[in-house]
Amino acid sequence: MSAAFTTTRTSRRQFLTLLGISAAAVSCGTATANGGSGGAQITSLKYQGAVGAVTLPELAADLGYLGDVTLDWVGNTISGPQDIQSAATGQTHFGSAFNGAVIKLASTKAPIKAVISSYGSDQYSYGGYYVLEDSPIRSARDLIGKKVGMNTLGAHYQALLDIYLSRGGLSKEDAAKVEPLVVPPVNTEQSLRAKQIEVGVLTGVLRDKALATGGIRPLFTDVELLGPFSAGTYIMTERFIKQNPDTVRTFVTGVAKAIEWSGTTPREEAIARMTEIVKKRGRNEDTATLQFWRSYGVAETGGRIQDKSFQLWLDWLGDRGEIKKGQLKAADLYTNEFNGHGKG
């Protein structure tokens, strides 16, 4: 991003425009990565990664959980909405995003289906809303008229902010006076300390480094607000799933095994494995942030999706008027059919 901040209105308009492009591309039959009808199933899956990080599919592949299914890295992304748009339009075979973003994309009639949870929040992996140590902000009402910096709008952290404000007793009119702003994660701590924003969302190593420096405190965290929960999923197009069921089953079950491996393996061993994965792929990445890895945060065993993983965000988007209430049902947005973990 060229600027530290963008306005709520601009970011939301750009996001909805991208969703419209995705839906149009899918409806026009341009989802090229889905392959043709008939013939052998696709076993090489195009995907986007993350710099200096190991995604669950990458971990599954390295652990040998994907069998004859291979991964074909096409680049990196820092945006969940962009990642699932790429999958919906056939540029990749799967993508991961916040479940609210999945709902938005599905509401445009993009034929997608969530197949397994991809990340979440727990005691180790969570997002915190931080203020300066001497800040007068102590409650939801104190946020009226204040700026809250987060990585993107219309997604996980704006949703949690809205829920916090609602539970804090703010009316919709008062909540509208709180100003969420896009701030690149690497700039959030600096922006907070420079008082360009009053609240900053910090996660992972950026959160831990900021806390180690001192001078900030949490206003609230997402896991405090909701308890442990799975927040995002991997999606594929319905066409790809129909044409490649064995590949999908191998992929989903392999990722499920990787989720369980990451939760039962000693942290030092898991970090060492991930560090080796990053080094082996030869993309000239810094592995320093991996030393702070603690969890993927997926709440359910094997990443199985539940209605509640979507219902909270369906209600939130409906209240905001971004989708029609009752337009979508949680159970129609996902399938656990291909998750063979724990089934014998």
Side-chain angles (χ1 to χ4, degrees):
M1 301 180 187
S2 57
F5 308 135
T6 60
T7 67
T8 301
R9 182 175 299 174
T10 300
S11 295
R12 182 170 179 269
R13 183 170 61 246
Q14 291 172 339
F15 179 68
L16 294 177
T17 298
L18 283 170
L19 289 183
I21 292 171
S22 296
V26 172
S27 65
C28 291
T30 57
T32 56
N34 289 308
S37 59
Q41 294 186 31
I42 292 172
T43 58
S44 178
L45 303 181
K46 297 182 184 297
Y47 80 103
Q48 295 183 117
V51 177
V54 176
T55 66
L56 279 164
E58 289 172 329
L59 178 60
D62 192 73
L63 290 168
Y65 293 158
L66 296 187
D68 62 349
V69 173
T70 59
L71 302 179
D72 180 10
W73 176 71
V74 298
N76 290 318
T77 184
I78 58 170
S79 165
Q82 185 277 331
D83 200 27
I84 59 173
Q85 288 155 18
S86 293
T89 55
Q91 299 170 65
T92 58
H93 291 107
F94 63 86
S96 165
F98 165 60
N99 286 334
V102 174
I103 292 168
K104 284 187 180 182
L105 187 54
S107 73
T108 68
K109 301 189 183 304
I112 59 172
K113 190 78 74 173
V115 293
I116 189 169
S117 292
S118 56
Y119 79 93
S121 291
D122 60 18
Q123 61 178 323
Y124 305 114
S125 178
Y126 60 89
Y129 295 68
Y130 290 88
V131 298
L132 295 178
E133 189 69 51
D134 59 357
S135 170
I137 297 174
R138 297 283 177 178
S139 69
R141 188 157 297 279
D142 294 334
L143 290 176
I144 295 174
K146 302 300 191 295
K147 297 181 178 66
V148 182
M150 59 191 66
N151 67 327
T152 189
L153 301 182
H156 182 128
Y157 293 114
Q158 187 172 7
L160 270 295
L161 174 63
D162 286 353
I163 292 171
Y164 175 75
L165 296 175
S166 176
R167 292 186 180 181
L170 269 67
S171 66
K172 289 186 177 180
E173 292 74 19
D174 283 340
K177 297 174 185 176
V178 180
E179 187 176 3
L181 294 170
V182 173
V183 182
V186 295
N187 299 127
T188 300
E189 179 187 356
Q190 178 185 355
S191 298
L192 179 62
R193 295 188 189 280
K195 299 185 178 181
Q196 295 172 313
I197 55 177
E198 283 82 12
V199 185
V201 177
L202 294 168
T203 65
V205 60
L206 297 175
R207 175 197 64 224
D208 293 343
K209 286 184 175 180
L211 288 171
T213 301
I216 64 172
R217 59 176 172 82
L219 177 62
F220 71 96
T221 69
D222 56 5
V223 74
E224 288 174 348
L225 194 65
L226 298 179
F229 66 101
S230 294
T233 47
Y234 284 108
I235 66 99
M236 292 176 162
T237 65
E238 293 177 345
R239 178 184 172 190
F240 182 83
I241 293 171
K242 182 178 180 180
Q243 294 180 349
N244 304 275
D246 296 334
T247 296
V248 175
R249 185 169 291 105
T250 297
F251 171 81
V252 174
T253 302
V255 170
K257 291 179 179 179
I259 289 171
E260 292 307 301
W261 183 91
S262 70
T264 57
T265 301
R267 179 169 173 264
E268 294 75 13
E269 182 181 335
I271 290 173
R273 184 84 181 224
M274 293 179 190
T275 301
E276 187 60 27
I277 292 172
V278 171
K279 289 179 178 179
K280 284 191 299 186
R281 66 195 186 195
R283 301 176 196 166
N284 194 28
E285 300 164 274
D286 185 358
T287 61
T289 58
L290 278 175
Q291 309 313 308
F292 293 86
W293 180 89
R294 301 178 75 184
S295 165
Y296 286 105
V298 176
E300 290 76 27
T301 300
R304 282 195 180 84
I305 307 169
Q306 300 180 351
D307 280 5
K308 66 180 182 180
S309 299
F310 284 98
Q311 193 59 55
L312 179 67
W313 317 117
L314 282 167
D315 295 340
W316 173 66
L317 290 168
D319 289 341
R320 286 168 59 88
E322 296 196 31
I323 63 171
K324 294 179 181 178
K325 290 188 176 182
Q327 176 185 352
L328 299 170
K329 294 181 178 179
D332 295 335
L333 296 168
Y334 70 91
T335 178
N336 289 314
E337 176 185 352
F338 300 93
N339 192 335
H341 181 69
K343 291 186 177 180

